[in-house]
Amino acid sequence: TQLLEQSPQFLSIQEGENLTVYCNSSSVFSSLQWYRQEPGEGPVLLVTVVTGGEVKKLKRLTFQFGDARKDSSLHITAAQPGDTGLYLCAGPLFTYQGAQKLVFGQGTRLTINP
Amino acid sequence: SQTIHQWPATLVQPVGSPLSLECTVEGTSNPNLYWYRQAAGRGLQLLFYSVGIGQISSEVPQNLSASRPQDRQFILSSKKLLLSDSGFYLCAWSVDWDGTQYFGPGTRLLVL
């Protein structure tokens, strides 16, 4: 059972189009993070959303945290080939030792065609 | 600034052979350290995490083990590799007050 469900799992669109990727859970998270991963490299953090209803913008990327802190979305405006990659959402879970471990969604593979 | 290193970058090993992957972090003290495995183009599965020297927590039963002999060194090992151990292995670090994890470049392991 996946704690964080991402949809769609695969998305291929033309340059200039808009798109939205979703990350959903039945559990409440204190925050959610979005990472982007290029082939053969480690994921890189894009943004962390903390407050329910929060909206953060990173150039053409808009991230929103649901009011109930159970879901998040990533919207890309006027997609460019450089946006191609694997987008991962992740939520923190606290361990009994006090460390935070992250649970990841299965990812959305995004391809932007020129 | 902090950096994280993993080696080797790529490894091809026969079934039944041993494994040792190394991860080191520079520029921070007492980090939390993590080992993940990633199937091709998919999400990350947490294998082990460590909050300090000699402290290892295992997330899933498996053929692998982890050790933390020094504060900023994390090692993933196996005595005998299985075909199912093939994958992309990622090391990451974090600090307690910030859940953000910073990932290394990864090691691609192919077991034949």
Side-chain angles (χ1 to χ4, degrees):
Chain A
T1 303
Q2 195 79 21
L3 196 58
L4 286 171
E5 293 281 350
Q6 285 187 242
S7 61
Q9 294 187 28
F10 300 93
L11 183 59
S12 180
I13 63 172
Q14 293 300 118
E15 181 177 1
E17 295 182 358
N18 302 331
L19 66 107
T20 302
V21 174
Y22 300 93
C23 175
N24 295 301
S25 176
S26 57
S27 301
V28 176
F29 284 92
S30 58
S31 65
L32 281 179
Q33 301 173 12
W34 284 92
Y35 290 80
R36 180 179 160 210
Q37 185 179 20
E38 302 277 358
E41 299 180 7
V44 176
L45 180 70
L46 294 174
V47 77
T48 300
V49 286
V50 179
T51 306
E54 180 179 10
V55 176
K56 282 190 174 179
K57 291 193 175 183
L58 188 65
K59 297 184 180 178
R60 293 176 293 99
L61 279 61
T62 301
F63 303 84
Q64 184 163 7
F65 200 11
D67 290 341
R69 292 185 287 131
K70 292 182 177 182
D71 54 84
S72 181
S73 63
L74 158 59
H75 181 79
I76 301 179
T77 303
Q80 299 177 2
D83 297 325
T84 293
L86 180 67
Y87 290 81
L88 297 158
C89 68
L93 298 175
F94 284 92
T95 69
Y96 70 92
Q97 299 104 324
Q100 285 193 21
K101 58 181 183 180
L102 288 178
V103 58
F104 282 82
Q106 70 271 55
T108 294
R109 170 69 62 188
L110 175 63
T111 302
I112 309 300
N113 303 300
Chain B
S1 64
Q2 300 88 2
T3 56
I4 179 169
H5 304 278
Q6 285 187 244
W7 64 90
T10 304
L11 191 59
V12 181
Q13 291 285 99
V15 170
S17 64
L19 173 74
S20 181
L21 303 181
E22 189 163 346
C23 170
T24 58
V25 181
E26 297 176 356
T28 187
S29 296
N30 197 30
N32 300 317
L33 296 172
Y34 309 83
W35 277 112
Y36 292 87
R37 178 167 55 206
Q38 184 178 32
R42 307 303 289 158
L44 280 64
Q45 180 187 33
L46 180 63
L47 303 176
F48 300 96
Y49 66 90
S50 171
V51 301
I53 296 174
Q55 299 182 56
I56 307 294
S57 296
S58 175
E59 285 292 294
V60 292
Q62 59 196 299
N63 183 42
L64 303 169
S65 62
S67 62
R68 185 171 177 174
Q70 300 180 44
D71 181 44
R72 288 168 287 178
Q73 184 184 29
F74 205 21
I75 297 172
L76 185 68
S77 304
S78 173
K79 292 182 179 178
K80 289 185 178 182
L81 284 168
L82 306 173
L83 288 174
S84 57
D85 292 324
S86 294
F88 191 47
Y89 288 84
L90 288 157
C91 179
W93 68 272
S94 73
V95 293
D96 284 333
W97 59 88
D98 181 347
T100 300
Q101 293 190 11
Y102 302 91
F103 287 84
T107 294
R108 186 160 305 282
L109 171 66
L110 180 60
V111 182
L112 300 175

